Amino acid sequence: MAVNPNPGILQYPRIRKSPYFYSSREHGVALYSVYNHTYHPRHYGDPVAEYWHLLNAVTLWDVGVERQVEITGPDAFDFTNMLVSRDLTKCKVGQAKYVFVTAPDGGIINDPVLLRLGENHFWLSLADSDVLLWAKGLAHANGMNVQISEPDVGPMQIQGPNSTGVLVDLFGDSIHDIPYYYVREYELDGMDVVVSRTGFSAEMGYEIYLRNASRDASRLWDAVWEAGQAHDLKVIGPCHIRRIEAGILSWGNDIWYDTNPFEVGYGFEQTWMVDLQQEADFVGKEALKKVAEEGISRKLVGLHIDGPGLGSFNDGAMIDFFPVLDEAQEIGRVTSACYSPRLERNIGFAMVPLAYAELGTDLLVRTPHGVASAQVTTSPFIDPGKDLPKGLPVDPVATAGDGAEVAG
């Protein structure tokens, strides 16, 4: 029997469509996956060329798969503060936060970007899991006076160094006044949008959340595409090479229901993602207090992996986790890996027992090319302080993880 390495995916009505589905198809989608029950354009033919265009110009992403959960009503603040592990008394109206939605055992149900649009008005811009049902059940069980729904909102991302120019041409100079992880509302030719200075690239970038998306999506897509032509805009899929370089987690790959926030490195142990000192209770607080007291037994680490190139991650080259070995014994797994053209080497993340998490630890990884040597290193691999999306000066050589040199 012969294995078909590229069997494709059935396109049919029961898989949901992004509001931009038909617009993004016109740019030649080459590969879809399914994310939040929705077709997700992964690339348009050359993921490495898309990576370089993201670094050097500006890119437009159809991320309608980031389904929104809207929470309103008299108890909306208290309910949302119970839903996530950050202290939302520190989140102003008009601000956004990267948050974990945690389960009673401390596992990560989702890692959305939260937008606070009013005192009692929140959007959760979701990763790939069913938070709407979880939130509805939690509110019902606790008798809270909230309305929880999926609004008719379609997000898109505009990422890359020229992104500010595109947004200024669309909305004016006030775009310069939006700080990192803040939002502002605009009206564009009768279309109501919320612009946030956020994104999945760790480059300068924005997300545009379109209200009445089922009516206006194609009009907004065309307006952004037209404004972008003066700035060398191209349509691409979410760039996982850049995501891995930046140490950005992918729910379903690097984190899951069985992963607690203390296991995922990043410095989250230093409390800003899990605020155990806040007065308010949140789901999973007691379990995470216990983890904080007793410690963890495994940790997500950065890896350099030797051997032939491992692809771009979003090209289908990594269809399963790679086993991590200590001699012949499997002790963990690589959760994301790719070849970084700038670092000129394979990089990735691996979940390993704490005894194997020290910097410089030598490991073995079973890749599609065979068993390769690997070394535990620092992550993020480039710009660990996220200076690029903050608009601060960056020296890529000085900020590359573990003293790595940056090519190109």
Side-chain angles (χ1 to χ4, degrees):
M1 293 184 288
V3 173
N4 178 358
N6 191 16
I9 182 171
L10 175 62
Q11 298 177 57
Y12 65 148
R14 68 180 297 272
I15 299 179
R16 300 179 68 182
K17 316 290 188 295
S18 157
Y20 309 109
F21 177 78
Y22 292 103
S23 295
S24 58
R25 281 173 71 89
E26 293 179 0
H27 295 266
V29 177
L31 184 67
Y32 283 110
S33 71
V34 176
Y35 189 106
N36 278 330
H37 313 284
T38 306
Y39 293 110
H40 190 8
R42 287 303 187 170
H43 69 77
Y44 293 76
D46 188 343
V48 175
E50 293 180 6
Y51 163 80
W52 286 116
H53 204 83
L54 168 65
L55 298 186
N56 294 315
V58 59
T59 59
L60 169 61
W61 308 2
D62 172 1
V63 290
V65 297
E66 294 173 4
R67 296 291 179 181
Q68 305 299 301
V69 169
E70 183 170 63
I71 304 168
T72 60
D75 293 340
F77 175 83
D78 290 337
F79 174 75
T80 310
N81 204 32
M82 179 180 70
L83 192 67
V84 305
S85 57
R86 294 188 75 160
D87 181 358
L88 295 186
T89 64
K90 301 173 183 175
C91 181
K92 303 172 184 174
V93 173
Q95 197 170 6
K97 296 283 187 184
Y98 175 56
V99 298
F100 287 143
V101 176
T102 44
D105 64 359
I108 299 171
I109 291 176
N110 202 281
D111 63 330
V113 171
L114 174 150
L115 285 69
R116 188 173 188 185
L117 303 177
E119 291 294 337
N120 277 303
H121 188 183
F122 298 86
W123 284 349
L124 300 177
S125 190
L126 298 180
D128 187 16
S129 70
D130 293 313
V131 172
L132 180 66
L133 297 176
W134 166 248
K136 281 177 174 284
L138 196 63
H140 176 75
N142 286 275
M144 303 195 79
N145 188 1
V146 292
Q147 290 78 51
I148 300 172
S149 63
E150 181 184 312
D152 184 15
V153 170
M156 61 168 61
Q157 295 201 16
I158 297 93
Q159 303 285 309
N162 298 349
S163 58
T164 301
V166 177
L167 272 286
V168 167
D169 285 354
L170 285 165
F171 302 110
D173 287 335
S174 63
I175 287 294
H176 292 295
D177 301 331
I178 304 177
Y180 187 51
Y181 267 79
Y182 276 79
V183 306
R184 179 172 285 196
E185 304 208 26
Y186 289 93
E187 184 270 338
L188 177 68
D189 295 332
M191 297 179 285
D192 296 321
V193 303
V194 175
V195 174
S196 66
R197 200 167 136 204
T198 55
F200 195 62
S201 73
E203 296 292 320
M204 177 62 77
Y206 302 83
E207 292 179 86
I208 303 176
Y209 296 81
L210 173 66
R211 290 191 168 97
N212 302 307
S214 57
R215 183 191 70 191
D216 291 335
S218 61
R219 265 208 314 139
L220 179 64
W221 183 276
D222 291 344
V224 172
W225 176 248
E226 185 176 340
Q229 294 314 293
H231 303 275
D232 196 14
L233 177 76
K234 290 190 184 302
V235 176
I236 71 168
C239 181
H240 281 264
I241 301 174
R242 188 67 189 95
R243 190 269 294 181
I244 295 169
E245 287 179 346
I248 296 175
L249 302 174
S250 169
W251 196 92
N253 294 305
D254 311 309
I255 51 179
W256 181 248
Y257 303 124
D258 67 357
T259 313
N260 74 60
F262 292 93
E263 296 173 325
V264 295
Y266 254 52
F268 292 161
E269 302 91 322
Q270 297 168 13
T271 74
W272 61 273
M273 283 294 287
V274 179
D275 195 332
L276 298 173
Q277 307 305 317
Q278 63 178 305
E279 291 185 13
D281 200 7
F282 64 84
V283 177
K285 187 175 183 181
E286 288 306 312
L288 291 172
K289 275 185 176 178
K290 188 175 180 183
V291 173
E293 291 167 0
E294 297 180 356
I296 55 175
S297 60
R298 61 178 190 163
K299 187 170 185 177
L300 193 75
V301 298
L303 277 190
H304 290 152
I305 306 170
D306 299 332
L310 294 174
S312 64
F313 190 78
N314 60 330
D315 58 358
M318 187 175 180
I319 64 172
D320 208 343
F321 303 105
F322 298 158
V324 177
L325 310 171
D326 178 1
E327 297 184 349
Q329 181 184 5
E330 183 172 331
I331 52 96
R333 63 186 190 180
V334 174
T335 59
S336 294
C338 70
Y339 179 80
S340 165
R342 278 192 293 179
L343 297 174
E344 296 183 332
R345 66 193 316 168
N346 294 316
I347 58 175
F349 312 138
M351 185 67 81
V352 296
L354 210 54
Y356 295 85
E358 288 293 323
L359 291 178
T361 300
D362 291 321
L363 298 169
L364 297 172
V365 174
R366 185 178 296 129
T367 77
H369 307 296
V371 175
S373 57
Q375 302 81 39
V376 175
T377 187
T378 54
S379 171
F381 299 90
I382 291 177
D383 187 20
K386 299 291 186 292
D387 290 337
L388 269 171
K390 294 174 184 173
L392 301 174
V394 176
D395 179 348
V397 174
T399 57
D402 199 30
E405 293 186 356
V406 178

